[in-house]
Structures are given as structure tokens and as C-alpha cells.
Amino acid sequence: MTTIDLSTRVPLRFPTASATFAIGIAGYLGVNLSPYMITAAQSGLGIDVLAASWLVTATLLLTAVTGLAIAPLCAGAHRRTVARAGLALAALGFATAALVPTLLLTALLLGGAGAGGAVAASGAALAAFRNPDRVAGFNGLANRGVITIVLAVIPLVGLAPIDVFGALALFAVIGLAVSAWLPAAPVVDPQAAAAVGDAMPIEIPPTGTVRTAPARSRTVTIAGFGLLLVFALWAASEDSLWAMAGVMGAEQAGLTPEGLGLALSGATAGGLLGSLLLMIVGARLGRALPLLILLAAGGVLKIVEGFTTDATAFIVVFIAWNTIYAIAFMYFVSTSAALDADGRWSGPLLAVYLVGSALTPVIGAALVGVLGFQGFAIALGIASFVLAVPAGAIALLSTRLERAVTPEVVS
């Protein structure tokens, strides 16, 4: 029988945490800087906004596709190798884009591909820690905290290629510098055979602690693929609203550019608050019930947003929705991490998100064109309600698997 010893999960310590979070930030930074990247690409290549937007979209899609393709390697002994190769390629690509404008197109695509390795490696590493819920909260806090500062500082420095793409290269170098601390995947008995159950006992370690270890059963595999599908659909629906918020707010509620800026900054602050709450709560409430409630509440707020005609109310609802969205996102991450300690599902999860994120401006615009703003909001709300059911079921399974390896007897 195959046993995967989830007792190999490590506590959250500064070296391993800083490496995991820094590499994740380096991989995800392009998504957050995409508006700045479009401006920098315009000035670097002398192209219009549409061409620059497609170039940035291609870069982000390449990050997502590379992350998905390489994620299986990050669930084994090659995790650090993947991280270092990806970060080195990202640093080279983005540095070239910053310094040699004539090579900007090719350099950006290379940098995007390298970032995919960082996304997959850091996502897989999240599964190596104990208490996935609290780790997801710390990860969200680190990510949003750093991104908030970067988003505020870069415009003050400038939006030329050397400023924007140079920042991307710098974070890749930082990730590369701390990559030696990235948690390794658990060691699995190479002579173990096929799994037949969801949980089975393992040997009693010298400490006298009795643990059980979940096997890679068909149930877990189905749950893992199901989680990736549910998360992809949910993320696409959420980011579609984010992408259309400016247009919807302006036409429906008279939202000014200053009001949109307030809504976006408030949404970031709400995400930071959500990260702090999850760090405090940890696994005390489980995952299934919180995820069900969060997706249902998010669906209600999306529908309300579609019918809000006052600018102030629009901003308040938008911030509330995004706060719930941020917490739900972290629960998805912790659910994927708890399914398998080697990061088999948390590695591709973050790459799956990038696919939807890169395409949501197009998806959102198409839905608005067909359904109008109110129909668009209702469709997104219904999507949340429907997806809450499988998300909650998979979260419940992940909680049971995690409890299966909780120490039962300690001498």
C-alpha cells in the first residue's frame, strides 16, 4: 500500500516562509502590474494600447500555461530546480525588456514563461506547512502588503520600461537569492505500491506519536481535479467583475476616476484585513462551512453591485465583495494544500487562476455586451451559488484528510 506521510509537514518559520512568499510574489507580480506593463510596453515599442494589451495578455497566459505544465515537477524532488530555473529566466527576460527595448516583445514572453515556474513552485511549497489555513492567511498578507507598496511606489518612480520591467526583474532576483530555503516535497517510499484507501496508519515514530497518512486514492484525485475546475470558473467570474468595475461604476452609478481609485485601494485594504482574520482563526472553523458562506455572500454582493446606482454605495459594496473574495481565495488555497502535502494540487491552483485572470477583461466585456450590467451581475452571482456546493464538499474532504494525520497519541 502507498502511504504519504503528511507528518512531514513543517512549521511556519521565517526562512522557509520568506522563500515561499517571495517566490510567489515574484511569479504573481506581473498580474498586479499589468496596467503599468501596458504603459511601459507602449513607450518601449511605440505601439498603441490595444497591441500593448495583447502583448501583456500573452505574457500572463504564458505564465499560466507554463505553471500548469510544470506543476507536476514541483510535487517531487525538482521543486527548487524548477523555482531557480524559472526565476533565472524571469530575471533575464524582464531585465532584457527593461534595458533593450528592441527585444522587448521576446524578452517579455521569456520573462512570463519563467514566472510560471515560480508560481508553480511556490504554490506547491504552500502544502509543505502545517495549518494550511493560517499559512494561506500569511501568504495573502505578504502578497497584498508587498503589492500595495509596489503599486504605490512605481508610478512615483516612473512607468518607463526600466522602471516597470526592472521591478519585475528585481523581485525575480530576490526570489532566486532565497530559493535555497524553499521547503522540499515530502519523501515518499519509492517501493510503495498502489493506494486502496483514503487513510491508513504509518509507523510510530520515535516520539511515540501515532499518525495516519492519506493515500492518493481515486477520491482524492477526483477532488483535486474538481477543485481546479471549480476554482478556475469561480476566479473567472470574480475577476470579470473586477475588470468591469470601472465601466460599470461610471455608467451605472456615476463613479469618477477618483472614486474608482478609492474603491480599488479599499479593496486591497479589505484583502489585508481578510488575511489577518484568517491568520487568527486558522482551522478553528474548518473549511467547508466558511467557503460555502463566503461564496454565497459573494454571490449576493455581486448581484447587489449590479443594481447599485449611487457612487458611494457602489464603492462600499465593491470593497465588501472584494474582502470576501480575498478570504475565499485563501480558503481555496488552503483546501488545495491540505489535499496533498507534496503540493500536487496547490502548485497548479495558482496557475489556473492566472488563466482566468488574463482572459477576464475579454470575458467580462462579452458578458456585459450580451446581458447588460444587471444581467452580468446576476449571472456572476448565480455562478457563485452553484460553485459553492462542490467547493464546500471538496473543502470538507480536505479537512478530514488533514485530521487523519493529526497526532492521536503522544507519549
Side-chain angles (χ1 to χ4, degrees):
M1 294 185 298
T2 299
T3 59
I4 302 172
D5 187 0
L6 298 195
S7 66
T8 57
R9 291 187 192 268
V10 298
L12 193 66
R13 296 289 184 264
F14 179 78
T16 49
S18 62
T20 302
F21 300 161
I23 293 172
I25 290 170
Y28 252 60
L29 191 58
V31 178
N32 297 280
L33 296 187
S34 56
Y36 300 162
M37 291 174 67
I38 292 172
T39 302
Q42 281 185 268
S43 63
L45 292 175
I47 56 179
D48 60 26
V49 65
L50 181 60
S53 297
W54 276 111
L55 174 57
V56 172
T57 296
T59 301
L60 298 180
L61 279 176
L62 198 53
T63 298
V65 171
T66 304
L68 283 172
I70 210 166
L73 288 178
C74 299
H78 303 293
R79 180 181 300 166
R80 289 174 185 162
T81 301
V82 169
R84 287 167 178 161
L87 290 164
L89 184 60
L92 176 63
F94 291 132
T96 302
L99 299 172
V100 188
T102 55
L103 298 177
L104 194 148
L105 190 153
T106 303
L108 274 188
L109 296 178
L110 287 176
V119 168
S122 64
L126 290 173
F129 297 101
R130 299 171 192 166
N131 198 330
D133 303 282
R134 187 158 291 151
V135 171
F138 273 105
N139 181 59
L141 182 66
N143 191 294
R144 284 182 174 258
V146 172
I147 295 302
T148 299
I149 296 172
V150 173
L151 288 174
V153 170
I154 286 184
L156 301 178
V157 178
L159 296 179
I162 193 169
D163 304 312
V164 179
F165 304 133
L168 290 167
L170 175 61
F171 274 87
V173 171
I174 292 172
L176 194 58
V178 298
S179 60
W181 292 336
L182 191 69
V187 177
V188 181
D189 182 3
Q191 298 184 2
V196 294
D198 284 343
M200 54 198 71
I202 60 174
E203 294 182 1
I204 300 177
T207 59
T209 302
V210 178
R211 295 183 176 92
T212 58
R216 283 182 180 158
S217 67
R218 181 176 299 177
T219 301
V220 176
T221 300
I222 293 173
F225 281 115
L227 182 66
L228 295 181
L229 177 61
V230 169
F231 184 69
L233 295 173
W234 174 80
S237 74
E238 299 292 306
D239 279 5
S240 292
L241 179 57
W242 178 275
M244 292 294 104
V247 178
M248 181 189 294
E251 295 190 18
Q252 180 177 290
L255 190 67
T256 63
E258 292 78 13
L260 179 60
L262 178 61
L264 295 178
S265 60
T268 301
L272 290 172
L273 177 61
S275 300
L276 288 171
L277 290 174
L278 188 54
M279 287 163 53
I280 295 170
V281 172
R284 295 173 189 171
L285 302 178
R287 296 188 193 97
L289 184 59
L291 203 50
L292 279 168
I293 293 173
L294 288 167
L295 264 61
V300 170
L301 288 172
K302 283 188 284 189
I303 294 174
V304 171
E305 190 80 314
F307 289 83
T308 301
T309 57
D310 177 74
T312 301
F314 188 94
I315 293 172
V316 171
V317 174
F318 184 84
I319 293 173
W321 159 74
N322 196 71
T323 301
I324 287 176
Y325 157 75
I327 301 174
F329 183 100
M330 288 179 279
Y331 268 112
F332 271 111
V333 172
S334 65
T335 297
S336 67
L339 280 176
D340 199 323
D342 62 9
R344 186 184 180 199
W345 305 113
S346 60
L349 185 87
L350 299 182
V352 162
Y353 171 79
L354 288 178
V355 175
S357 182
L359 296 176
T360 45
V362 178
I363 295 172
L367 288 175
V368 168
V370 174
L371 303 174
F373 289 129
Q374 293 182 352
F376 168 67
I378 291 173
L380 297 185
I382 292 174
S384 289
F385 300 148
V386 172
L387 294 173
V389 177
I394 297 169
L396 181 61
L397 174 64
S398 76
T399 301
R400 289 176 175 173
L401 289 174
E402 188 181 10
R403 287 174 180 169
V405 295
T406 301
E408 297 174 354
V409 180
V410 179
S411 62

